[in-house]
Amino acid sequence: MQTPISTLTGFIAILVVQIIFGIVFGAFSEYGKELLPAKDGDPLPTNLGSYPHFQDIHVMIFIGFGFLMTFLKKYGYSATGFNLLVASLMVQWALIARGCFEMEDGKIRLTLGGMIGADIAAATVLISMGALLGRTTPIQLLVMGLFEIAIFAANEYLQLEYMKITDVGGSITVHAFGAYFGLAVSFVLRPKKSDLALTNNLEGPSYTSDIFAMVGTIFLWIFWPSFNSALVSGADQERAILNTYLGLAAATVVTFILSVLVSHEHKLDMVHVQNSTLAGGVAVGSVCNLLIHPYGAVLIGSLAGLLSVLGYRYLSPKMLEKLRLGDTCGVHNLHGMPAVLSAIFSAIFAAAATKNEYGNSLYDIFPAMIDSNSTLSEDHHSEPTPFGGYGRNAAEQAGYQLLGIISTVAIAIVGGLLTGAFLKSPSARMIPRDKHYDDEDSWEVPAP
Amino acid sequence: MQTPISTLTGFIAILVVQIIFGIVFGAFSEYGKELLPAKDGDPLPTNLGSYPHFQDIHVMIFIGFGFLMTFLKKYGYSATGFNLLVASLMVQWALIARGCFEMEDGKIRLTLGGMIGADIAAATVLISMGALLGRTTPIQLLVMGLFEIAIFAANEYLQLEYMKITDVGGSITVHAFGAYFGLAVSFVLRPKKSDLALTNNLEGPSYTSDIFAMVGTIFLWIFWPSFNSALVSGADQERAILNTYLGLAAATVVTFILSVLVSHEHKLDMVHVQNSTLAGGVAVGSVCNLLIHPYGAVLIGSLAGLLSVLGYRYLSPKMLEKLRLGDTCGVHNLHGMPAVLSAIFSAIFAAAATKNEYGNSLYDIFPAMIDSNSTLSEDHHSEPTPFGGYGRNAAEQAGYQLLGIISTVAIAIVGGLLTGAFLKSPSARMIPRDKHYDDEDSWEVPAP
Amino acid sequence: MQTPISTLTGFIAILVVQIIFGIVFGAFSEYGKELLPAKDGDPLPTNLGSYPHFQDIHVMIFIGFGFLMTFLKKYGYSATGFNLLVASLMVQWALIARGCFEMEDGKIRLTLGGMIGADIAAATVLISMGALLGRTTPIQLLVMGLFEIAIFAANEYLQLEYMKITDVGGSITVHAFGAYFGLAVSFVLRPKKSDLALTNNLEGPSYTSDIFAMVGTIFLWIFWPSFNSALVSGADQERAILNTYLGLAAATVVTFILSVLVSHEHKLDMVHVQNSTLAGGVAVGSVCNLLIHPYGAVLIGSLAGLLSVLGYRYLSPKMLEKLRLGDTCGVHNLHGMPAVLSAIFSAIFAAAATKNEYGNSLYDIFPAMIDSNSTLSEDHHSEPTPFGGYGRNAAEQAGYQLLGIISTVAIAIVGGLLTGAFLKSPSARMIPRDKHYDDEDSWEVPAP
């Protein structure tokens, strides 16, 4: 049996990756033109109006995800620390990988808009990390992220540029992708039956760690309207904000109610409160800029809270028991299923969309519905022609929304299975089951 | 004796409320016009410039209030969780209740502005919750909130539209209302004398819980300038920001000094630091957009810190001893008295306000001072005529400011007493005194 | 031997200071003109577009620094509380002290811009506090801050107005100044050799306190782009944001790698993760608006992470051993050395700056490079003439950048030594070594 490479060697490999990123930035990237000094004439308009939105998302990625994962009693260093490490490498990689699809003059042009995209891409990896939390080395997480961002960037381009699906909150391209990718990796890394008995008792919260996790939950909850609305503007943006706000509020109320209904002795369960309250934000993601009306946002949010609590209560234990499929943070219940729900609703609302209701914004939201003879399509002439060409009708667009979620989940699962196989190679150090969920594997920890 | 309804039944009742809200949103609400696609002509201007202010307030409501209340050693799940639950139901109810006063074509028009108003309304209930913290079931809090938002919305409309008082930071309509409403409920729910001996030892902090509470305190402190300035614009807004900043800084310094002066062995008391430092923000609330000048902000903030620490040190223990009136978070010292102070200063500065000093902004701040023959009053023709008609002089406006705080406190107390009586009905489950301040009453708690 | 003044007397002295500040605000300050009502004509433009940037910085000062310092196991009340107290007094003092250099009509004009400057000035004192954390009374910190802000404000004016150095992120004027000032104070207050054996075991983290510290670290990390870009606008601002983002991401990756390389058993060390990850933000501070290109940001950030981890691992223990020079938070490694690195890079990039590359923005960034005969210099006619006059060439500007860091460090050290001597006077209460790093010295602490 091959000896796995040591932690030290692993980190040196990451150093090589960081150096390569530096070289790529030097050779193939440059500031976006609006970041350069104006030589003559007026300066180009900047994108600084998006900066408050960016900062809200930045809080979600680094505080939100980081602290949400502190719920395990002895994994708080890893949760906050690995989150910071993984996201820091991933945003650089995402700037490069996503930038490859939009090069100008052979250069990746870096802008604030690209930073927003990079943060959102990093979220995808952090979601996958949630499925695996406590069972991998940081090197495994980083390697997983390197694979995942590449596949993510390609799929995002496929869905938004060729399939022309609408998904402003990223439910399909981010949440579904990240969740099913992570679950597929987790499946490959599942324990042997013979190892199941081997366990420490660290897969659970302490009173204090549960409250730290609420820091993450609540910041995610607060800034989710910014996440869902960052890529739209004007009336669409204000609508995305309001719909997400309503969806989250309704999901939260329903989560508490369901938690009491299904839990032991009708007491509230912190797992539900920390996670299912957020499912409303995922579930309105693909539709938040559509005319779903306030009751639609409340309905979708409520269904997401319901689905998510039921998932935590009944489905996750079954997946663990029958498939040995671990999902530490329950990303299937917070991100996976609510994202599929969002995609289904996006198909329903796409099927119902009319020019009469949406005015010309119909073609901003669903550019493939532009009549192929219309001059409007010329605004998109620098983009690839949509699959099936311009001139889709509403039912066709609905079909593409469904195709979008199906193909995304398929790509995520295949990508995750392949990535998992790589992570399981004999050269990768695996954490033995009795050292899972324990900061001591990676950190110097003070004596209690 | 009637059996109280179970927790389960209570939560099912809340489910019914949530479903009713969904139906009301469907039947009686719609997006505000600026959130709808432009059909022809230019799109309406959005209110998105307020979004960063909204997000600051959102952090205050969900992180600020939630974590401020985590100071009890075994009530952190409830503090953060019930805060999230109560606020999530209340923002929906506030969108509806406040919207009823401004319907267009039979519809409540939902906008970002309404979300800001809904968050602020929720703060009122969270303040009241602070008075009761640890002694009620979540169902009691939710029911209290349903009553309170209805009365709050009516009183807010009365004070701002008919009384035409100035109160941009909500010291009168939010802080005083919430504090005295909560205290009135707490008074009705006070323990019987015979039960006083029955106690556990959970009404106090642990070292860790006190630091969690500082997360709440500091975020409230940081974003208070946004709370006080969200409803004004231009020079008034920048003035409101600066005055609140100075008021908070001065209150903080005075709080630390007073804490040392009055505390045991001249050591600092975390209760003062967590709460009285914020009293400066309350105390400048009603006057922060007036020309109180920097020294005025420092003076008012300092007085608030002084008053608040003295309240915690001397008044609250007396209220508990003489009246059995519990006030877990000391909302009387943080919100109640500083809000009254703010109202008094608003009367003083209103009495001194002149056209010469304020220019035309005088009539934006005090619309009832518009000369009744002036064309300026036409800008307000869609609003109800102020009590006493237009053409108030400065002294009259000062009188209305005082009437505003007196009537608000009176309405809050009467409303709170009636609400308390309802919450004490035999059908409501009460938490026995020896289970107070304990997450185990409502939550599954991990073994230590 | 003189009896030191008591804590009570010390706080009363601070009360006198606060009262004096109130009087100074009354006698010598007024709202900035754009905060006053427009009397006739259009209102002046406000600076409210900077408000989101201000709030990000505000979070850094009060949450970021406050929680970063909670890492000690029994010093969390002091870390968050003294941070709040010190910053609250310092922002008032900074409004006054910095305002003295820009009085109009004998009045300090207070604006949002001044608030941003005051918050940044307070950061300087909080950095110095980091060097001393746990070894001084709060009164000593406040007195130190009163001296430090005065010297800081004079040096800031010297560097920016006379030396005309570029330092938009404050690496020179804030980070280097604060670090070396604090280290000089710490040196004066170093223990006698005979006292070295006397110790409690509180200078270290607990598992929980380390996670609280991550709240501070991550919020500092998130909002550092706002800190570095607050004082520029347009393309320069977006460039400062992007460069800081890249610098931080690269510093973070390198910090983790180096931590594994140099730490015991190749495990990660939370000290590095909490601090060295931020060194990238310091190191790009003076150059973030220059055309350092994306690879430059990655390179500088990486070097900062490297330097900082090596400093924590090898240099700080030596300073403590050889010089008895304590640096509780390691501000030399987080702020001091990375700031010197930033200054060196600012000289390098200044030397390479050409009109061809920067266009007219060259003269905004380096105003002393304006040709003395050019009409552009008239835009600066209200400012003092730069040392050496206008018309500097690039090499000369580089020299001034180096002179800027050298003179700043020299002034900070001399100022710190003198301040330290004052703090060590017989009338100042010193905390005995066996009571260091312990909240019980200043706070009422609940029994465990």
Side-chain angles (χ1 to χ4, degrees):
Chain A
M1 184 180 161
Q2 188 182 338
T3 313
I5 62 173
S6 69
T7 301
L8 188 60
T9 314
F11 272 98
I12 289 170
I14 298 300
L15 180 60
V16 173
V17 171
Q18 176 64 59
I19 291 168
I20 293 170
F21 285 177
I23 293 168
V24 171
F25 279 122
F28 300 110
S29 86
E30 189 43 88
Y31 297 126
K33 281 171 186 157
E34 74 268 31
L35 275 69
L36 291 169
K39 287 299 160 51
D40 32 42
D42 291 327
L44 295 170
T46 65
N47 191 20
L48 289 163
S50 298
Y51 187 61
H53 263 74
F54 164 71
Q55 279 295 11
D56 293 352
I57 294 169
H58 215 39
V59 172
M60 293 175 75
I61 303 305
F62 289 90
I63 284 282
F65 281 102
F67 275 88
L68 181 57
M69 293 193 280
T70 59
F71 76 100
L72 292 170
K73 69 181 85 165
K74 283 292 167 204
Y75 210 63
Y77 289 14
S78 302
T80 56
F82 295 167
N83 185 80
L84 181 61
L85 170 62
V86 168
S88 291
L89 196 70
M90 291 310 130
V91 295
Q92 295 178 67
W93 179 215
L95 285 175
I96 295 169
R98 294 180 76 247
C100 289
F101 292 98
E102 312 184 322
M103 289 175 107
E104 294 173 34
D105 317 328
K107 291 280 185 188
I108 296 165
R109 292 284 174 181
L110 301 183
T111 62
L112 178 57
M115 288 164 58
I116 294 175
D119 264 37
I120 292 174
T124 311
V125 178
L126 300 176
I127 291 166
S128 303
M129 175 176 159
L132 300 165
L133 193 73
R135 300 195 306 276
T136 62
T137 65
I139 300 298
Q140 285 178 309
L141 291 176
L142 291 165
V143 172
M144 176 186 82
L146 294 173
F147 281 80
E148 184 169 0
I149 289 285
I151 305 170
F152 162 84
N155 183 61
E156 184 191 34
Y157 193 77
L158 169 72
Q159 301 299 339
L160 302 183
E161 299 301 324
Y162 284 99
M163 305 272 282
K164 293 284 183 199
I165 65 167
T166 188
D167 186 30
V168 294
S171 294
I172 296 168
T173 54
V174 176
H175 293 285
F177 186 91
Y180 288 102
F181 190 99
L183 289 168
V185 173
S186 181
F187 182 73
V188 177
L189 300 184
R190 71 191 183 285
K192 293 181 208 151
K193 278 192 185 168
S194 56
D195 284 353
L196 282 178
L198 190 69
T199 179
N200 55 18
N201 283 309
L202 296 179
E203 192 185 4
S206 70
Y207 189 70
T208 300
S209 70
D210 257 344
I211 300 175
F212 275 122
M214 285 299 277
V215 174
T217 294
I218 301 176
F219 272 110
L220 286 168
W221 199 97
I222 288 171
F223 289 130
W224 213 291
S226 302
F227 191 96
N228 280 356
S229 69
L231 305 180
V232 280
S233 60
D236 284 46
Q237 187 171 49
E238 194 165 339
R239 218 154 60 223
I241 289 167
L242 177 64
N243 287 332
T244 307
Y245 180 78
L246 287 172
L248 286 165
T252 300
V253 173
V254 170
T255 293
F256 274 81
I257 295 164
L258 257 283
S259 185
V260 166
L261 282 177
V262 303
S263 294
H264 181 65
E265 291 185 342
H266 299 313
K267 289 192 173 185
L268 290 160
D269 187 332
M270 274 302 256
V271 171
H272 305 155
V273 171
Q274 286 161 4
N275 294 283
S276 301
T277 53
L278 299 167
V282 178
V284 299
S286 298
V287 296
C288 58
N289 60 328
L290 305 185
L291 290 166
I292 62 174
H293 303 287
Y295 76 89
V298 168
L299 175 69
I300 295 169
S302 299
L303 290 177
L306 173 81
L307 190 65
S308 182
V309 172
L310 295 178
Y312 277 103
R313 181 69 182 82
Y314 300 109
L315 185 58
S316 291
K318 284 273 181 253
M319 282 163 48
L320 190 61
E321 188 193 327
K322 302 287 183 196
L323 304 174
R324 286 169 284 141
L325 174 50
D327 180 6
T328 317
C329 294
V331 300
H332 189 233
N333 311 306
L334 165 47
H335 301 278
M337 293 192 296
V340 172
L341 185 72
S342 192
I344 293 170
F345 273 104
S346 78
I348 294 171
F349 283 102
T354 63
K355 178 79 198 302
N356 190 38
E357 199 180 6
Y358 283 84
N360 277 329
S361 77
L362 185 69
Y363 305 125
D364 293 326
I365 298 172
F366 302 113
M369 290 176 74
I370 295 170
D371 190 316
S372 43
N373 302 319
S374 153
T375 56
L376 276 171
S377 69
E378 290 172 15
D379 297 348
H380 295 265
H381 75 277
S382 66
E383 299 169 15
T385 306
F387 285 161
Y390 284 101
R392 280 183 200 161
N393 63 30
E396 286 168 347
Q397 180 64 40
Y400 276 99
Q401 293 294 128
L402 293 177
L403 191 57
I405 182 71
I406 291 167
S407 57
T408 294
V409 170
I411 291 168
I413 290 176
V414 172
L417 292 174
L418 295 174
T419 302
F422 186 85
L423 296 181
K424 213 186 167 181
S425 76
S427 62
R429 187 174 85 82
M430 307 293 290
I431 306 180
R433 265 180 71 82
D434 58 347
K435 307 277 188 195
H436 280 182
Y437 315 115
D438 191 352
D439 277 334
E440 296 224 15
D441 187 69
S442 299
W443 299 83
E444 294 188 42
V445 175
Chain B
M1 186 181 163
Q2 189 182 337
T3 313
I5 62 174
S6 68
T7 302
L8 188 61
T9 314
F11 272 97
I12 289 170
I14 298 301
L15 180 60
V16 173
V17 171
Q18 176 64 60
I19 291 168
I20 292 171
F21 285 177
I23 293 169
V24 171
F25 280 121
F28 300 110
S29 86
E30 189 42 88
Y31 298 126
K33 281 169 187 159
E34 74 267 31
L35 275 69
L36 292 170
K39 288 299 162 50
D40 33 41
D42 291 328
L44 294 171
T46 65
N47 191 23
L48 288 164
S50 298
Y51 188 62
H53 263 74
F54 164 72
Q55 279 295 12
D56 293 352
I57 294 170
H58 215 39
V59 172
M60 293 175 75
I61 302 305
F62 289 90
I63 284 282
F65 281 101
F67 275 88
L68 181 57
M69 293 193 280
T70 58
F71 76 99
L72 292 170
K73 71 182 83 164
K74 282 293 169 204
Y75 210 63
Y77 289 14
S78 301
T80 55
F82 295 168
N83 185 82
L84 181 61
L85 170 62
V86 168
S88 292
L89 196 69
M90 291 311 130
V91 295
Q92 296 179 65
W93 179 212
L95 285 174
I96 295 169
R98 294 180 77 249
C100 288
F101 291 100
E102 313 183 321
M103 289 174 104
E104 294 173 34
D105 318 329
K107 290 280 187 189
I108 296 166
R109 291 283 174 181
L110 301 183
T111 64
L112 178 57
M115 287 164 59
I116 294 175
D119 263 37
I120 292 174
T124 311
V125 177
L126 300 176
I127 291 167
S128 303
M129 176 177 159
L132 300 165
L133 193 73
R135 301 196 305 278
T136 63
T137 65
I139 299 298
Q140 285 179 309
L141 291 177
L142 292 165
V143 172
M144 179 187 80
L146 294 174
F147 282 78
E148 184 170 359
I149 289 285
I151 306 170
F152 162 84
N155 182 62
E156 185 192 34
Y157 193 77
L158 168 72
Q159 301 299 339
L160 301 183
E161 299 301 322
Y162 283 100
M163 307 272 282
K164 293 284 182 197
I165 65 168
T166 188
D167 185 32
V168 295
S171 294
I172 296 169
T173 55
V174 176
H175 294 286
F177 185 92
Y180 289 102
F181 190 99
L183 289 168
V185 172
S186 181
F187 183 73
V188 177
L189 300 185
R190 71 192 183 283
K192 293 181 207 151
K193 280 191 186 169
S194 57
D195 284 354
L196 283 177
L198 191 68
T199 180
N200 56 17
N201 283 310
L202 296 179
E203 192 185 3
S206 70
Y207 189 72
T208 300
S209 70
D210 257 344
I211 301 174
F212 275 123
M214 285 299 278
V215 174
T217 293
I218 301 175
F219 272 111
L220 286 169
W221 199 96
I222 288 170
F223 289 131
W224 212 291
S226 302
F227 191 95
N228 280 355
S229 69
L231 305 181
V232 281
S233 60
D236 285 46
Q237 187 171 48
E238 194 165 340
R239 216 154 61 223
I241 289 167
L242 176 64
N243 287 330
T244 307
Y245 179 78
L246 287 172
L248 286 165
T252 300
V253 174
V254 170
T255 292
F256 275 81
I257 295 165
L258 257 282
S259 186
V260 166
L261 283 176
V262 303
S263 292
H264 181 64
E265 291 185 342
H266 299 312
K267 289 194 172 183
L268 289 160
D269 187 332
M270 276 300 257
V271 171
H272 305 153
V273 171
Q274 286 161 3
N275 295 281
S276 301
T277 53
L278 299 167
V282 178
V284 299
S286 298
V287 296
C288 57
N289 59 328
L290 305 185
L291 291 165
I292 62 173
H293 303 288
Y295 76 91
V298 169
L299 175 69
I300 295 170
S302 299
L303 290 177
L306 174 80
L307 190 66
S308 182
V309 173
L310 294 179
Y312 276 103
R313 181 69 182 80
Y314 300 109
L315 186 57
S316 290
K318 283 273 181 256
M319 282 163 49
L320 191 60
E321 188 194 327
K322 302 288 184 195
L323 302 174
R324 285 168 283 142
L325 175 49
D327 180 5
T328 316
C329 294
V331 300
H332 189 233
N333 311 306
L334 164 48
H335 301 278
M337 293 191 297
V340 172
L341 185 72
S342 191
I344 293 170
F345 273 104
S346 79
I348 294 171
F349 283 102
T354 63
K355 178 79 198 304
N356 190 40
E357 199 180 5
Y358 283 84
N360 277 329
S361 77
L362 185 69
Y363 306 125
D364 293 327
I365 298 173
F366 302 114
M369 290 177 74
I370 296 171
D371 189 315
S372 43
N373 302 319
S374 153
T375 55
L376 277 171
S377 69
E378 288 172 18
D379 295 349
H380 296 264
H381 76 277
S382 66
E383 299 169 14
T385 307
F387 284 162
Y390 284 101
R392 279 184 202 162
N393 62 32
E396 287 169 347
Q397 180 65 40
Y400 277 99
Q401 293 294 128
L402 293 177
L403 191 56
I405 183 69
I406 291 167
S407 58
T408 293
V409 171
I411 290 167
I413 289 176
V414 172
L417 292 174
L418 295 174
T419 303
F422 186 85
L423 296 181
K424 213 186 167 182
S425 77
S427 62
R429 187 174 86 82
M430 307 293 290
I431 305 180
R433 266 180 71 82
D434 58 346
K435 306 279 188 194
H436 280 182
Y437 315 116
D438 191 351
D439 278 335
E440 297 225 15
D441 188 68
S442 300
W443 299 84
E444 294 189 42
V445 176
Chain C
M1 184 181 160
Q2 189 182 338
T3 315
I5 61 173
S6 68
T7 301
L8 187 61
T9 313
F11 272 98
I12 289 171
I14 298 301
L15 180 59
V16 173
V17 171
Q18 175 65 58
I19 291 169
I20 292 170
F21 285 175
I23 293 170
V24 171
F25 280 121
F28 300 110
S29 87
E30 189 43 88
Y31 298 125
K33 280 170 187 158
E34 76 266 31
L35 275 69
L36 292 169
K39 287 299 161 50
D40 32 42
D42 290 328
L44 295 170
T46 65
N47 190 21
L48 288 163
S50 298
Y51 188 62
H53 263 74
F54 165 72
Q55 279 295 11
D56 293 352
I57 294 170
H58 214 39
V59 172
M60 294 175 75
I61 303 304
F62 289 90
I63 284 283
F65 282 101
F67 275 87
L68 180 58
M69 294 194 279
T70 58
F71 76 99
L72 293 169
K73 72 182 84 166
K74 282 294 167 201
Y75 210 63
Y77 290 13
S78 301
T80 55
F82 295 168
N83 185 80
L84 181 61
L85 169 62
V86 168
S88 291
L89 196 69
M90 291 312 130
V91 294
Q92 296 180 65
W93 178 214
L95 285 175
I96 295 169
R98 295 180 76 250
C100 287
F101 292 98
E102 314 184 320
M103 290 175 106
E104 295 173 33
D105 318 329
K107 292 280 186 188
I108 296 165
R109 292 285 173 178
L110 302 183
T111 63
L112 178 57
M115 288 164 57
I116 294 174
D119 263 38
I120 292 174
T124 311
V125 178
L126 299 176
I127 291 166
S128 302
M129 176 176 157
L132 301 165
L133 193 74
R135 301 195 306 278
T136 63
T137 65
I139 300 297
Q140 285 179 309
L141 292 176
L142 292 165
V143 172
M144 178 187 81
L146 293 174
F147 281 79
E148 183 168 0
I149 290 284
I151 305 169
F152 162 83
N155 182 61
E156 185 191 34
Y157 193 76
L158 169 71
Q159 302 299 339
L160 302 183
E161 298 302 323
Y162 283 98
M163 307 273 282
K164 293 284 182 199
I165 65 167
T166 189
D167 186 32
V168 295
S171 294
I172 297 169
T173 55
V174 176
H175 293 286
F177 186 92
Y180 289 102
F181 191 100
L183 289 169
V185 172
S186 182
F187 183 72
V188 178
L189 300 184
R190 72 192 183 284
K192 295 181 207 149
K193 279 191 183 168
S194 57
D195 284 354
L196 282 178
L198 191 69
T199 180
N200 56 17
N201 283 310
L202 296 179
E203 193 184 4
S206 70
Y207 188 72
T208 300
S209 70
D210 257 345
I211 300 174
F212 274 122
M214 286 298 278
V215 174
T217 294
I218 300 175
F219 272 110
L220 286 169
W221 198 97
I222 288 170
F223 289 131
W224 213 292
S226 302
F227 191 95
N228 279 356
S229 69
L231 305 180
V232 280
S233 60
D236 284 46
Q237 187 171 49
E238 195 164 339
R239 217 154 62 222
I241 289 167
L242 177 63
N243 287 331
T244 307
Y245 180 79
L246 287 172
L248 287 165
T252 300
V253 174
V254 170
T255 292
F256 274 82
I257 295 164
L258 257 282
S259 186
V260 166
L261 282 177
V262 302
S263 293
H264 179 65
E265 291 186 342
H266 300 313
K267 288 193 173 184
L268 290 160
D269 186 332
M270 274 301 255
V271 170
H272 305 155
V273 171
Q274 286 160 5
N275 294 282
S276 301
T277 52
L278 299 167
V282 178
V284 298
S286 298
V287 296
C288 58
N289 59 327
L290 305 184
L291 290 166
I292 62 174
H293 303 287
Y295 77 89
V298 169
L299 175 69
I300 296 170
S302 299
L303 290 177
L306 173 80
L307 189 65
S308 182
V309 172
L310 294 179
Y312 276 103
R313 182 68 181 83
Y314 300 108
L315 184 59
S316 290
K318 283 273 181 255
M319 282 164 48
L320 190 60
E321 189 193 327
K322 303 286 183 197
L323 304 174
R324 285 168 284 140
L325 175 49
D327 181 5
T328 317
C329 294
V331 300
H332 189 234
N333 311 308
L334 165 48
H335 301 279
M337 293 191 297
V340 172
L341 185 72
S342 191
I344 293 170
F345 274 105
S346 78
I348 294 170
F349 283 103
T354 63
K355 178 78 199 303
N356 189 38
E357 198 180 7
Y358 282 85
N360 278 328
S361 77
L362 185 68
Y363 306 124
D364 293 326
I365 297 173
F366 302 113
M369 290 177 74
I370 295 171
D371 189 314
S372 44
N373 302 319
S374 154
T375 55
L376 276 172
S377 70
E378 289 172 17
D379 296 348
H380 295 266
H381 75 278
S382 66
E383 299 170 13
T385 307
F387 285 162
Y390 284 101
R392 282 184 199 161
N393 63 30
E396 286 168 347
Q397 180 65 40
Y400 277 99
Q401 294 294 129
L402 294 177
L403 190 58
I405 183 70
I406 292 167
S407 57
T408 293
V409 171
I411 291 168
I413 289 176
V414 173
L417 293 175
L418 295 174
T419 301
F422 186 86
L423 295 180
K424 214 187 168 181
S425 76
S427 62
R429 187 174 86 81
M430 308 292 292
I431 305 180
R433 267 179 70 83
D434 58 346
K435 306 279 187 193
H436 280 182
Y437 315 115
D438 191 351
D439 277 335
E440 296 224 15
D441 187 69
S442 299
W443 299 83
E444 295 189 41
V445 175

